[in-house]
Amino acid sequence: MPSLLEELKEIEVAARSQLAEARDDAALEEWRIAYLGRRGRLTLVLRALASLPLEERRKVGAEANRLKEALGAALAQRQAQLEEARLTAVMERGRLDVTLPGRPRAQGRLHPVTQTLRDVLHCFESMGFQVVEGPEVEWDRYNFEALRIPRDHPARDMWATLWVDYEKDGERSMLLRTHTSPNQVRYMEGHQPPIRIVVPGRVYRFEATDPIHDWMHTQVEGLAVDEGISMADLKGTLAEFVRRIFGADRKMFFHCDYFPFTEPSMGLLIDCVVCNGEGRLRDGQGCSTCKETGWIEVLGSGMVHPEILANVGYDAERYTGFAWGMGIERIAMLRYGVEDVRLFYQNDLRLLEQF
Ligand code: DAH
């Protein structure tokens, strides 16, 4: 029968090699119970000491106690080792390199046309105009008939039209509105003077595009109706608009024009900012933005035709009004010096990020 000392040696070898194999908490606990638990191998040796003669009890007892402490320490060390390995694995998985540069956050901003639209609306709001809106798909009646543009009249040729539903002789023809002017009639039908409104919105035309025409653009319609409104009010209001949006140095002039719904009608022109009113660029090339004229029309305007006032039930002897319609893209072009209106809707960030 092997002596207890030999058994202790054997226990130590087995315990150490098994401990090195333990890979998790459950395995460690199992190992602890097997060697140091109440019925563990080492515990049984310690219990057996009592029956030994004194001399041997001292020798074996000292060795058994040393082993008990050594195994306890080995267990603690193995536990720490496994914990360290676990933490390292976690760190590896979610590694964070604080020296890397941050990812830039893309910052949004308003489209230049939206910015310009808001500035224009604020300008008129501060002069007492109220913002209202109307539908983009419009009846023939509002887009044309009620504005004195009857069917088969040549005035219709001024608007290249995108029809949604066309009935030749019926009342039900629908189109994408070609201008915001229908809202003059829509608003007057539901309200009495005094009226001061601006109507922003998109309009659509069946149009070949060039640097200053696109098939869709944004307009702001204006309408003021009251007793005693004159052309001086129209000029004063629009001159103030030009001063505020383009600055005091901009040259402008009104020229005669024709619109079926105003009498008289005028166009408002501003000197071209791309060529500075020269009609030619610095390299001698003709300026395509103003078609080499040096001027750009920013809006059409006039005194509301009395027939239109009478048709919505107003007393046209008592009330007069002025109206205008302007293209916001064109104003944005002039303001920012963009040569081609089509650039606004190509979604090229290299352009859009400049504003
Ligand atoms: N509706 C016209 C257009 O789109 C612009 C216009 C001209 C509007 C004269 C008006 C106006 O209100 O009085 O070309």
Side-chain angles (χ1 to χ4, degrees):
M1 201 176 114
S3 75
L4 279 177
L5 274 179
E6 277 165 17
E7 191 177 340
L8 283 177
K9 241 181 234 151
E10 194 215 313
I11 289 175
E12 178 158 19
V13 172
R16 286 193 187 278
S17 85
Q18 250 181 52
L19 186 60
E21 305 277 290
R23 300 251 168 270
D24 52 32
D25 288 348
L28 288 179
E29 181 61 5
E30 206 176 291
W31 179 91
R32 191 191 62 78
I33 291 166
Y35 292 97
L36 304 172
R38 268 194 303 139
R39 296 173 181 285
R41 286 185 69 183
L42 185 55
T43 314
L44 293 181
V45 172
L46 283 163
R47 273 200 212 132
L49 286 178
S51 56
L52 290 180
L54 184 64
E55 192 62 5
E56 208 176 334
R57 194 190 312 165
R58 232 193 249 135
K59 244 167 58 194
V60 178
E63 178 57 15
N65 278 324
R66 184 200 61 80
L67 185 55
K68 189 178 175 191
E69 254 170 53
L71 289 187
L75 175 63
Q77 194 190 3
R78 183 68 183 147
Q79 255 165 352
Q81 235 175 32
L82 288 180
E83 177 62 9
E84 170 130 352
R86 194 182 63 78
L87 284 179
T88 308
V90 168
M91 299 267 278
E92 285 291 325
R93 246 181 281 132
R95 183 184 255 172
L96 177 68
D97 183 349
V98 293
T99 66
L100 285 176
R103 276 178 220 159
R105 277 245 208 127
Q107 207 187 5
R109 70 192 77 197
L110 293 177
H111 190 280
V113 173
T114 307
Q115 280 177 32
T116 304
L117 176 62
R118 291 193 180 181
D119 293 344
V120 167
L121 293 177
H122 282 151
C123 166
F124 287 110
E125 276 175 312
S126 75
M127 289 194 259
F129 287 79
Q130 189 188 340
V131 179
V132 301
E133 287 184 293
E136 287 185 24
V137 180
E138 186 56 282
W139 298 108
D140 181 297
R141 175 171 123 60
Y142 285 111
N143 197 81
F144 293 129
E145 296 280 330
L147 294 169
R148 304 182 68 255
I149 312 170
R151 230 159 267 252
D152 306 323
H153 191 279
R156 288 224 179 186
D157 298 345
M158 291 170 70
W159 283 276
T161 308
L162 291 160
W163 295 99
V164 172
D165 178 13
Y166 187 68
E167 281 193 14
K168 198 160 186 304
D169 300 313
E171 278 292 293
R172 293 191 31 248
S173 298
M174 269 189 156
L175 59 146
L176 296 183
R177 66 180 174 196
T178 61
H179 52 178
T180 43
S181 302
N183 295 294
Q184 294 186 27
V185 177
R186 281 182 173 275
Y187 193 81
M188 286 192 288
E189 278 180 352
H191 300 82
Q192 288 299 311
I195 288 171
R196 277 150 186 71
I197 54 163
V198 278
V199 190
R202 293 188 158 181
V203 303
Y204 303 85
R205 295 179 191 176
F206 182 66
E207 194 128 41
T209 64
D210 68 30
I212 53 170
H213 294 96
D214 210 342
W215 59 269
M216 183 281 291
H217 73 280
T218 313
Q219 286 194 338
V220 169
E221 190 79 13
L223 174 70
V225 182
D226 205 346
E227 281 179 67
I229 288 213
S230 76
M231 201 128 108
D233 299 309
L234 180 160
K235 280 186 74 174
T237 305
L238 294 178
E240 179 63 13
F241 153 76
V242 170
R243 265 195 298 278
R244 292 226 208 144
I245 297 294
F246 297 105
D249 299 336
R250 201 86 262 156
K251 290 185 205 136
M252 64 176 171
F253 79 86
F254 287 95
H255 71 160
C256 291
D257 206 337
Y258 169 75
F259 297 101
F261 34 93
T262 43
E263 182 57 39
S265 305
M266 293 130 68
L268 171 59
L269 298 114
I270 288 180
D271 58 337
C272 178
V273 294
V274 175
C275 62
N276 268 319
E278 300 289 332
R280 310 213 142 261
L281 303 177
R282 245 179 283 145
D283 61 5
Q285 262 201 343
C287 176
S288 64
T289 307
C290 61
K291 297 220 172 89
E292 305 188 17
T293 62
W295 295 94
I296 292 204
E297 186 161 77
V298 287
L299 58 86
S301 64
M303 301 303 292
V304 180
H305 199 290
E307 236 178 79
I308 290 176
L309 297 175
N311 284 347
V312 295
Y314 291 179
D315 178 353
E317 296 291 324
R318 184 173 163 204
Y319 294 112
T320 49
F322 69 86
W324 77 85
M326 61 177 71
I328 297 302
E329 284 78 1
R330 198 169 289 186
I331 292 167
M333 284 171 76
L334 294 170
R335 233 183 158 194
Y336 299 121
V338 173
E339 294 99 0
D340 193 320
V341 69
R342 293 167 294 189
L343 291 170
F344 283 133
Y345 296 111
Q346 283 168 358
N347 287 337
D348 188 335
L349 289 180
R350 288 171 302 178
L351 176 90
L352 298 176
E353 280 176 349
Q354 294 176 43
F355 308 106

